[in-house]
Amino acid sequence: MKMNRILRLLIMFFLLANYGCKKDDNPANSSTQETPTLIFPVNSSTNIVLKPALVWNKVENAASYNLQVSAQVNFSNIVQSYSNITDTSQTLTLLSPNTLYYWRLNISDGKNVSGWTKPFSFTTGKDSVVQINFNWISVEGSSFLMGSESGDPDEKPVHNISLNNFSISQYEVTYDQFDLFCDATGRMKPNDNGWGRGNKPVTNVSWNDAADFCKWVTSQTGKTIRLPTEAEWEFAAKGGILSNGFLYSGGDSLNEIAWNFTNAIGSTHDVGTKKGNELGIFDMSGNVWEWCGDWFDETYYSYSPSVNPKGPLNGTQKVIRGGSWASFTVPGGEGEIVVNGCRVTDRSNSDPSVKSADFGFRCVIEE
């Protein structure tokens, strides 16, 4: 019996040494084998734009992602391939219309590469890109005096600025336009506050959201679309070279040209329903605050470049301009307006991640 016990122990040690403690050489069990979840386009989607943004979830241990797109389910014909992607989305170059495609991902943790995800499929539509009409208004470059000596401290000193030609959207970006971006990228649509969508200015969008929208439109059109610089915004709001020196964008009577606290009844209104300014641009005073591309510095005017300024190199807050449906006036002294975000020179700022019911934006296209 003792010999049998010894024999069983020897056999057990042998098995443990050769099998129980054997290193797992199967890469499917390594940490890199956690693969992303494909998000957009959802599997079997149809009528997808020809430059879609493919989106997936973030994997914690992933250093980068690799993406393949094929016209064959076995990926024998790779039509587009991307390596070392560090983001969780990738906008493709132009695909063929009315064509079935498959896409898949794997990840790298810097040492090992995972297996491929189960592929998703989508079928493109007939249109080359999403069509968004911005009604671009050409703004002839010139020199102008930026700021106000009678305004807030951050509006001083008044300083001379020279700008190149640019074009700016006639209206604030609407829900209809922003929703196209969301539909094309699988992004969650912003809340409309119960006020309706359609032709109302999009709200509850952060600076980051607005910048992503511009990047997406750029990818669709091949033209550089971006947020306006603060200087471009003020020059356009003042009416460019046609400026009449109004307090607000298009006039001195606030209710005539802007949806504000006294007439908006607590909500946004369809874009372009108030009087435009000298260039035919609408709602640069009131309706929604508009994100600009610049970082904010209250002392920036004291050291700003005089030609095409783009704001400080860094910061924590982004510039917002133009006031909103919630803006109001506080008269002081002999009727001087001392508080009103709708003034064309008024400056304000917010964290780029903030989303608000009175924050929106408009776009600029580089010429």
Side-chain angles (χ1 to χ4, degrees), residues 127-142:
D127 293 327
S128 60
V129 295
V130 171
Q131 300 297 323
I132 298 180
N133 185 4
F134 288 99
N135 297 97
W136 298 113
I137 298 293
S138 293
V139 182
E140 182 181 340
S142 185

Side-chain angles (χ1 to χ4, degrees), residues 8-285:
R8 286 199 298 271
L9 286 172
L10 288 172
I11 293 171
M12 184 172 65
F13 281 127
F14 174 80
L15 292 173
L16 286 171
N18 286 274
Y19 299 99
C21 297
K22 185 177 180 180
K23 180 180 178 181
D24 185 359
D25 293 324
N26 182 0
N29 293 326
S30 69
S31 61
T32 59
Q33 287 308 301
E34 181 185 358
T35 52
T37 299
L38 308 187
I39 297 176
F40 185 86
V42 297
N43 200 19
S44 303
S45 295
T46 58
N47 200 33
I48 299 299
V49 295
L50 303 191
K51 292 183 179 180
L54 308 187
V55 183
W56 55 91
N57 76 315
K58 181 178 180 180
V59 176
E60 286 303 320
N61 67 322
S64 62
Y65 305 88
N66 303 303
L67 167 67
Q68 290 183 341
V69 180
S70 175
Q72 304 293 330
V73 68
N74 62 1
F75 286 79
S76 59
N77 175 27
I78 306 297
V79 296
Q80 292 188 36
S81 180
Y82 301 85
S83 301
N84 300 318
I85 306 168
T86 56
D87 201 354
T88 55
S89 67
Q90 176 66 49
T91 299
L92 304 183
T93 57
L94 194 66
L95 298 171
S96 298
N98 300 314
T99 302
L100 175 64
Y101 290 98
Y102 301 87
W103 65 291
R104 65 183 183 181
L105 287 167
N106 67 17
I107 67 170
S108 170
D109 65 2
K111 296 180 180 179
N112 302 300
V113 178
S114 75
W116 292 102
T117 59
K118 182 179 179 181
F120 271 19
S121 69
F122 64 88
T123 303
T124 53
K126 65 179 181 179
D127 293 327
S128 60
V129 295
V130 171
Q131 300 297 323
I132 298 180
N133 185 4
F134 288 99
N135 297 97
W136 298 113
I137 298 293
S138 293
V139 182
E140 182 181 340
S142 185
S143 297
F144 76 107
L145 293 177
M146 187 170 184
S148 172
E149 291 297 346
S150 62
D152 297 326
D154 62 1
E155 299 172 42
K156 306 169 186 176
V158 173
H159 54 296
N160 191 73
I161 292 294
S162 296
L163 295 175
N164 293 338
N165 297 341
F166 64 95
S167 293
I168 193 167
S169 52
Q170 186 173 28
Y171 308 106
E172 293 159 333
V173 172
T174 66
Y175 273 101
D176 273 350
Q177 293 170 330
F178 199 85
D179 285 350
L180 286 174
F181 162 59
C182 295
D183 288 339
T185 60
R187 199 182 192 101
M188 182 177 293
K189 294 180 180 178
N191 187 354
D192 65 7
N193 314 296
W195 303 334
R197 305 180 81 81
N199 210 37
K200 288 184 169 58
V202 66
T203 62
N204 296 303
V205 287
S206 67
W207 184 93
N208 299 315
D209 294 330
D212 286 347
F213 174 88
C214 292
K215 290 176 185 175
W216 175 75
V217 177
T218 296
S219 75
Q220 296 297 300
T221 62
K223 300 177 181 179
T224 301
I225 312 295
R226 56 173 173 79
L227 295 174
T229 66
E230 186 176 20
E232 289 171 338
W233 190 97
E234 183 168 319
F235 186 54
K238 287 180 171 180
I241 62 172
L242 301 179
S243 177
N244 290 315
F246 293 131
L247 184 65
Y248 308 111
S249 184
D252 290 325
S253 173
L254 183 60
N255 286 343
E256 184 180 8
I257 54 89
W259 293 109
N260 65 96
F261 183 79
T262 62
N263 63 4
I265 318 176
S267 71
T268 59
H269 291 259
D270 283 3
V271 299
T273 51
K274 285 290 185 180
K275 179 183 174 183
N277 74 358
E278 297 92 326
L279 292 172
I281 307 171
F282 294 82
D283 300 306
M284 294 198 82
S285 289

